[in-house]
Amino acid sequence: HTPDTAHGAHAVGTVAFGAPSEALIRLEHVNKHFGEFQALKDIDLAIPRGQVAIVLGPSGSGKSTLCRTINRLETIDDDGGRILIGGQPLPTEGKGLARLRAEVGMVFQSFNLFAHKSILENVTLGPIRVKGKKKAEAERHAMELLERVGVAPQAKKMPAQLSGGQQQRVAIARALAMEPQALLFDEPTSALDPEMVQEVLDVMVQLAQEGMTMVVVTHEMGFARKAGDRVIFMADGAVLEDTDPESFFTAPQHERAKDFLGKIL
Ligand code: ADP
Ligand code: MG
């Protein structure tokens, strides 16, 4: 058996990633129960590198659970299903888990910044603690990222001193600081005042254009049409439609999808 790295695949940390043709994120027969309740039903998905996959669906359809299982914030049922990142099965614990989790960043609805750390510290903490970066190097990179998302002047402030839109842009910078292979966004603009939604979406569009692999749960249909390569429509824990945005918005197939679009558009 020849190691993957022998044919041009790249290694990140000690996690060897598969051939470039390998889907970056792959779910095979993934089920997830909470007690008796089944939140995910036999999910099969392959997200190639560079794809922006929009996840849509009514409340309670399993969108957050899907993101959380990909990032291993939730376990999946132990019934043969699996999740692979770069061709590697997700480890269940230990250093391997921390490393693989670092490969897939997550941005939540409620920005989840560390309230008692400055903006700069929020962005440098992970790289220093998890990736073992030197403080000066972490700060240099963090400032670059804060510049990129337009909040560099706020670097010395505390999260509460920033607007919601600014905090969410910091959360994106913090996720990027870990140099992830992919980013998951779970309704990143849902908790924002309307006038702050666009500044966050602009950063996401920019990332999409730069080729970042993204899974985005959102109700922002303008963003979905503009930046999305694919729409995954979920209802009751199952994927009902998986198609390109134009087809989904102009010709949804399932009644549930038609009903959903009727309510949201
Ligand atoms: P969505 O993000 O699409 O609104 P979720 O993934 O949050 O949906 O939830 C899907 C279903 O799973 C919901 O019915 C929710 O109540 C249930 N659920 C989610 N997390 C838990 C949990 N930790 N314990 C029990 N039920 C849960
Ligand atoms: Mg949700």
Side-chain angles (χ1 to χ4, degrees):
H1 177 75
T2 321
D4 279 336
T5 43
H7 9 247
H10 55 297
V12 178
T14 55
V15 182
F17 274 73
S21 58
E22 175 70 55
L24 182 54
I25 301 171
R26 182 182 294 278
L27 285 79
E28 295 174 352
H29 300 295
V30 170
N31 291 303
K32 171 67 183 174
H33 280 82
F34 291 109
E36 295 287 289
F37 178 79
Q38 189 167 6
L40 294 179
K41 297 174 182 163
D42 197 25
I43 306 286
D44 270 305
L45 279 178
I47 313 274
R49 282 176 200 284
Q51 185 170 75
V52 178
I54 309 291
V55 181
L56 300 177
S59 177
S61 54
K63 307 180 299 295
S64 294
T65 305
L66 178 75
C67 289
R68 294 171 59 80
T69 57
I70 292 173
N71 208 28
R72 210 60 175 75
L73 294 168
E74 297 281 3
T75 57
I76 61 174
D77 292 355
D78 185 16
D79 63 355
R82 51 185 202 152
I83 299 177
L84 302 111
I85 306 294
Q88 305 277 312
L90 277 187
T92 47
E93 57 187 9
K95 287 222 154 149
L97 175 58
R99 268 198 303 271
L100 256 184
R101 196 176 267 160
E103 302 298 344
V104 182
M106 185 144 168
V107 175
F108 302 86
Q109 178 175 333
S110 53
F111 337 119
N112 290 11
L113 296 179
F114 305 115
H116 303 291
K117 305 266 181 208
S118 73
I119 296 307
L120 184 64
E121 288 170 319
N122 263 276
V123 182
T124 57
L125 213 62
I128 291 170
R129 286 199 188 161
V130 180
K131 301 197 96 173
K133 275 209 182 179
K134 294 232 163 46
K135 189 170 176 230
E137 165 59 13
E139 288 186 348
R140 192 197 55 73
H141 188 216
M143 285 311 296
E144 227 174 78
L145 292 168
L146 290 172
E147 189 78 48
R148 208 161 130 197
V149 301
V151 284
Q154 277 72 36
K156 294 278 150 57
K157 294 187 180 163
M158 301 302 279
Q161 296 173 276
L162 271 60
S163 72
Q166 288 173 324
Q167 289 188 55
Q168 192 60 306
R169 284 182 284 146
V170 172
I172 294 172
R174 182 176 62 175
L176 289 171
M178 297 298 281
E179 299 173 310
Q181 301 275 317
L183 281 180
L184 310 174
F185 293 85
D186 190 2
E187 301 202 28
T189 60
S190 298
L192 296 176
D193 291 335
E195 73 271 20
M196 292 169 188
V197 168
Q198 198 55 47
E199 65 196 51
V200 173
L201 293 178
D202 286 346
V203 170
M204 293 167 63
V205 167
Q206 174 82 26
L207 286 173
Q209 285 168 349
E210 288 166 9
M212 176 60 85
T213 308
M214 296 161 65
V215 175
V216 185
V217 179
T218 185
H219 296 299
E220 294 294 331
M221 296 302 133
F223 173 83
R225 288 182 100 130
K226 180 174 176 190
D229 296 311
R230 174 181 187 180
V231 168
I232 295 161
F233 176 77
M234 295 181 68
D236 296 331
V239 173
L240 292 193
E241 297 202 26
D242 185 351
T243 183
D244 64 285
E246 216 41 48
S247 306
F248 181 78
F249 290 113
T250 57
Q253 300 297 304
H254 283 74
E255 277 314 311
R256 296 294 300 269
K258 290 176 194 170
D259 186 52
F260 174 79
L261 283 172
K263 282 177 181 142
I264 206 155
L265 291 180

